[in-house]
C-alpha cells in the first residue's frame, strides 16, 4: 500500500502544471478596468470527494464591480458523464478553498454552460476556486478538463 500511495503522490507532483488565461472585460464596446485570470491546474480528481479543485479565478479591479456570471466548457474531458457537479467557492491567494463560502453549485448536464451570479467584489483582488464532484462510479482513468 505504501508503494501505491507514493506513486500517486509522485504522479500528483509530476502532473501539476498551471495554465493561465487572461481576459479583458468589455461593456458596450468599452474596456472596463477589470482583469480576470483563470488558472487551470492538472491534478487527479477523486470520486469520493465533494470538492476537487480544478481551477482558480482571480479578479483584479478598480472601482465597484459585481461578477454576474461565469461561462464554462468541458472541452477535452474524456467522459462528461463522470462529472456530477460544478461549484464555485471563495478562495485565497494561496489557492486554498474556503468550503464554508459556497457561491454557486450547478449540476453538469452539458459540455458547456453558464452560471448566473450576483457577487460583489469587495477588494481590489478577489480569488475564487472552481471545483467538481465526480459520480461515485467515475473512472479515475478519465480526464476532466475545465475552461472558464
Amino acid at each position: 500500500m505504501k508503494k501505491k500511495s507514493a506513486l500517486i503522490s509522485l504522479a500528483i507532483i509530476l502532473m501539476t502544471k498551471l495554465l493561465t488565461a487572461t481576459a479583458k472585460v468589455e461593456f458596450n464596446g468599452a474596456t472596463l478596468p477589470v482583469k480576470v485570470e483563470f488558472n487551470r491546474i492538472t491534478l487527479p480528481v477523486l470520486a469520493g470527494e465533494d470538492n476537487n479543485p480544478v481551477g482558480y479565478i482571480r479578479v483584479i479591479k478598480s472601482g465597484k464591480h459585481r461578477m454576474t456570471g461565469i461561462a464554462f466548457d468541458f472541452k477535452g474531458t474524456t467522459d462528461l458523464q463522470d462529472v456530477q457537479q460544478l461549484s464555485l467557492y471563495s478562495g485565497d491567494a494561496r489557492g486554498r478553498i474556503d468550503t464554508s463560502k459556497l457561491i454557486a453549485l450547478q449540476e453538469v448536464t452539458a459540455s458547456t454552460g453558464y452560471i448566473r451570479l450576483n457577487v460583489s467584489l469587495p477588494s481590489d483582488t478577489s480569488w475564487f476556486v472552481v471545483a467538481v464532484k465526480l459520480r461515485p462510479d467515475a473512472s479515475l482513468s478519465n480526464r476532466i478538463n475545465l475552461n472558464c
Side-chain angles (χ1 to χ4, degrees):
M1 189 58 135
K2 281 186 177 183
K3 184 176 181 181
K4 187 175 183 178
S5 168
L7 287 175
I8 291 171
S9 297
L10 179 61
I12 290 171
I13 291 167
L14 293 176
M15 292 175 62
T16 302
K17 64 179 179 179
L18 207 54
L19 303 173
T20 303
T22 303
K24 291 182 193 174
V25 179
E26 295 185 4
F27 181 72
N28 290 337
T31 301
L32 297 176
V34 175
K35 179 180 176 183
V36 179
E37 294 179 354
F38 177 72
N39 297 309
R40 182 172 13 116
I41 191 159
T42 305
L43 287 172
V45 292
L46 304 173
E49 294 291 320
D50 287 340
N51 302 305
N52 289 290
V54 292
Y56 304 99
I57 298 172
R58 180 172 75 158
V59 181
I60 304 168
K61 54 98 181 161
S62 60
K64 291 185 177 184
H65 296 284
R66 300 184 78 72
M67 186 165 54
T68 58
I70 296 175
F72 65 88
D73 75 66
F74 283 98
K75 183 179 179 181
T77 298
T78 54
D79 188 357
L80 186 62
Q81 298 301 315
D82 285 347
V83 184
Q84 183 176 348
Q85 292 177 337
L86 181 68
S87 51
L88 180 69
Y89 290 90
S90 287
D92 65 18
R94 293 185 176 150
R96 290 182 293 205
I97 188 170
D98 186 346
T99 57
S100 69
K101 295 183 180 176
L102 176 65
I103 297 169
L105 180 70
Q106 182 166 320
E107 297 293 317
V108 176
T109 57
S111 63
T112 62
Y114 185 80
I115 300 174
R116 288 183 187 218
L117 302 168
N118 188 14
V119 178
S120 176
L121 301 171
S123 61
D124 292 343
T125 303
S126 300
W127 293 87
F128 303 94
V129 179
V130 182
V132 295
K133 178 180 179 181
L134 299 183
R135 298 194 186 286
D137 59 345
S139 171
L140 298 182
S141 65
N142 288 334
R143 178 185 171 113
I144 306 298
N145 190 45
L146 178 71
N147 303 294
C148 287

